Amino acid sequence: MLSIIQYEELEILLNDLDTRYGYDFTEYSKASLQRRVQRLFAADKFPSFAEFRYRLRHDPHYFRRFVEEITVNVTEMLRDPAFYRVLRTVILPVLATYPFIRIWHAGCSTGEEVYSMAILLKEAGILHKSLLYGTDINPQVIEKARKGIFPMSQMQKYSENYILSGGLKDFSSYYTANYHLARFDAALGEKMVFSTHNLAADSSFNEFQLILCRNVLIYFERDLQNKVLNLFDTSLENLGYLALGAKESIRFSPLDSRYRQVGREKIWRKGL
Amino acid sequence: MSNNRLIVIGGSAGSLHVMFDLLSGLRPGFPDAVLIVLHRNTQSDTGLEELMSAKTGLPCKEVEEKEPVLPGIIYLCPPDYHVLIEKQHTFSLDYSERVNFSRPSIDVTFKSAALAYGESLTAVLLSGANADGAGGLEFVKQQGGLTVVQDPSTAEVSFMPEYAIARGKIDLVLRAEDMPAVIFGPRPV
């Protein structure tokens, strides 16, 4: 017989985690959370919900595993090449006019997007005056992002993405292959700062000209989406840009009236 | 939140024409929502909504993030995202790992629809070449929904329906032409 975690049980868990560890997942999309929690529950072979709950409440190490497993860490380099082409041709030329460029990748996971951006900035000749902040709720992925080492098996796909995004160089010139791993050029990593940050609870920490948060808001309920969009609004300079995932939008948020979309991509400019 | 039924139809290789045949049995004023989970080529087969809409006279649209599930509409999963359903009957998109090599995955949608709709869910699995859907049908069954699988002998690719039948108890195994009356008609007791 299947043991299915019901929504009432999920609510109990989330309240436990908020009280016990101060991690508030109560405004996350429940369908997505249920799926991740169900998967973890099955993978770790708990005999009952009660035992699962007990372990989570009393074992901080297991709670760490929980956070690592229920957050979604799927990412890739230069995903949606058309999006990166617009960054190259429309956004970066504007950013190039600033003396100093600050970019925030919110929910950056293992850092592939941050490295993608660094490559674009380097090719635009403005990496030297840029600083890229990568943040994620999950400390484990932040550790990986700092290393700048990605699976070699993905490089062919990334190279194709790179060419489609308008890249003119040999993509392999950006990394050193070492068996099944690709270590990216340390010069790219020098302009990056990685840190944990919880979009649901933490506040703004700087002002940016560009914030990217792609395929993160889909995991939040609408109230939390709006809260996070307000956080981005507070963290964005006037005339700065906000980039979201292909299926995300500011349409139902308070930002809608004060931002204008850039072409057909999910990029909006503040204050126009 | 409505008490309307939801009908989720999952298909892979060899299911598209069956899907069209099924849906052409629908007429404007149909009181339930229909959600199609089709393994499709990323980007390539655009225009599916228009075609389905033209065949049925019902509005057909790609699922949008957090929109409510409304009766009388045929929803299509967007390529490269999983589609989940919240307990208050709104859609959520999910870009996590592929399941059964698939995104959208039929299992993912069946399971979350089972939790959100319980007995008011009908889950239908059609032709296909992989194992997607079978695990989801178990969830549907356990939550009290109705499980329907295309008769493998009438499926262009029989693996997917055969796999589901082998794995669990299915309420109804039907030939494609017998499906519309059952899945769109009044719920059998």
Side-chain angles (χ1 to χ4, degrees):
Chain A
M1 193 63 171
L2 279 173
S3 186
I4 301 175
I5 308 251
Q6 300 294 323
Y7 280 115
E8 299 72 27
E9 294 169 326
L10 183 65
E11 299 279 347
I12 292 170
L13 277 190
L14 299 185
N15 286 331
D16 281 357
L17 300 182
D18 193 14
T19 317
R20 174 79 176 77
Y21 300 105
Y23 270 77
D24 185 0
F25 293 106
T26 58
E27 292 185 290
Y28 278 50
S29 151
K30 300 303 180 299
S32 193
L33 272 185
Q34 192 282 336
R35 182 168 115 67
R36 311 289 292 185
V37 170
Q38 179 79 47
R39 213 173 62 148
L40 182 64
F41 175 79
D44 291 349
K45 299 188 170 60
F46 283 97
S48 69
F49 172 75
E51 294 197 38
F52 184 46
R53 182 185 179 197
Y54 184 88
R55 178 82 184 273
L56 260 176
R57 276 160 64 107
H58 294 95
D59 182 351
H61 295 289
Y62 191 73
F63 171 68
R64 268 197 68 157
R65 172 170 166 75
F66 180 88
V67 172
E68 286 160 10
E69 291 298 318
I70 67 158
T71 51
V72 173
N73 299 304
V74 175
T75 181
E76 65 180 68
M77 290 189 81
L78 301 155
R79 180 182 184 214
D80 303 331
F83 168 83
Y84 283 94
R85 189 179 275 274
V86 172
L87 283 186
R88 269 185 205 278
T89 56
V90 181
I91 311 296
L92 295 196
V94 177
L95 296 189
T97 64
Y98 289 87
F100 190 66
I101 304 163
R102 282 181 308 273
I103 298 172
W104 179 16
H105 293 263
C108 70
S109 187
T110 40
E112 280 84 340
E113 284 203 348
V114 192
Y115 277 83
S116 306
M117 180 64 81
I119 288 171
L120 262 58
L121 291 165
K122 186 161 199 268
E123 295 187 355
I126 53 179
L127 180 62
H128 65 279
K129 60 171 181 174
S130 303
L131 199 49
L132 294 92
Y133 292 79
T135 65
D136 202 280
I137 188 176
N138 179 349
Q140 197 189 37
V141 293
I142 286 297
E143 276 308 310
K144 280 194 185 165
R146 282 201 183 103
K147 295 199 173 89
I149 299 173
F150 305 118
M152 200 56 211
S153 56
Q154 299 283 52
M155 290 305 138
Q156 193 185 340
K157 183 182 190 186
Y158 294 170
S159 177
E160 288 164 13
N161 286 351
Y162 170 76
I163 292 162
L164 289 171
S165 79
L168 297 173
K169 299 176 77 169
D170 182 355
F171 186 67
S172 64
S173 67
Y174 288 110
Y175 61 83
T176 314
N178 189 352
Y179 297 99
H180 61 288
L181 295 174
R183 178 188 296 272
F184 275 73
D185 190 351
L188 298 173
E190 273 170 20
K191 295 296 178 181
M192 298 175 192
V193 179
F194 289 101
S195 165
T196 55
H197 181 278
N198 181 351
L199 288 170
D202 297 342
S203 49
S204 176
F205 58 93
N206 212 326
E207 275 216 325
F208 303 92
Q209 288 103 16
L210 170 60
I211 299 176
L212 300 99
C213 183
R214 303 174 71 217
N215 291 312
V216 176
L217 295 180
I218 51 174
Y219 301 110
F220 298 160
E221 288 179 349
R222 193 148 273 167
D223 284 351
L224 181 55
Q225 290 181 349
N226 285 339
K227 203 164 113 185
V228 173
L229 286 171
N230 279 328
L231 170 66
F232 293 155
D233 185 36
T234 313
S235 310
L236 206 54
E237 279 184 7
N238 198 31
L239 303 182
Y241 296 95
L242 173 64
L244 303 178
K247 300 293 176 191
E248 295 163 333
S249 169
I250 64 166
R251 191 161 37 133
F252 299 106
S253 82
L255 279 61
D256 194 22
S257 58
R258 291 179 290 109
Y259 283 66
R260 184 184 289 180
Q261 192 162 4
V262 179
R264 291 172 57 197
E265 292 301 321
K266 294 301 179 79
I267 304 172
W268 288 266
R269 192 171 196 192
K270 181 177 177 175
L272 274 178
Chain B
M1 169 162 155
S2 66
N3 293 316
N4 288 80
R5 283 192 312 174
L6 174 68
I7 298 146
V8 184
I9 307 173
S12 188
S15 71
L16 192 58
H17 67 97
V18 186
M19 203 83 87
F20 274 113
D21 286 349
L22 279 184
L23 295 175
S24 52
L26 291 175
R27 290 290 168 265
F30 181 69
D32 302 316
V34 180
L35 172 60
I36 309 286
V37 193
L38 192 62
H39 293 163
R40 46 207 286 218
N41 293 335
T42 319
Q43 319 301 351
S44 69
D45 51 7
T46 49
L48 218 50
E49 296 94 316
E50 288 78 2
L51 211 54
M52 285 188 177
S53 200
K55 278 239 174 196
T56 60
L58 289 177
C60 178
K61 68 187 296 286
E62 212 171 76
V63 167
E64 282 180 67
E65 144 68 15
K66 298 295 182 292
E67 73 173 327
V69 183
L70 297 177
I73 296 180
I74 302 171
Y75 294 96
L76 203 62
C77 294
D80 217 20
Y81 283 84
H82 295 304
V83 171
L84 302 170
I85 300 167
E86 303 289 341
K87 64 171 192 268
Q88 62 272 34
H89 297 176
T90 56
F91 289 112
S92 280
L93 298 178
D94 180 305
Y95 187 65
S96 58
E97 300 81 355
R98 287 163 188 273
V99 174
N100 302 316
F101 312 103
S102 310
R103 191 171 52 214
S105 146
I106 301 168
D107 267 346
V108 167
T109 302
F110 277 177
K111 287 178 180 178
S112 91
L115 276 166
Y117 278 84
E119 297 177 349
S120 306
L121 176 68
T122 300
V124 183
L125 190 66
L126 304 178
S127 168
N130 84 7
D132 203 15
L137 287 175
E138 274 188 85
F139 264 60
V140 174
K141 185 82 189 135
Q142 185 162 333
Q143 296 295 114
L146 182 71
T147 54
V148 181
V149 170
Q150 183 180 1
D151 182 342
S153 67
T154 70
E156 200 174 304
V157 185
S158 62
F159 183 86
M160 201 155 83
E162 270 167 5
Y163 189 84
I165 292 165
R167 173 150 169 188
K169 280 180 99 174
I170 304 300
D171 291 314
L172 297 163
V173 178
L174 298 174
R175 295 183 303 168
E177 56 267 38
D178 297 331
M179 279 186 177
V182 177
I183 64 179
F184 300 132
R187 170 81 188 265
V189 185

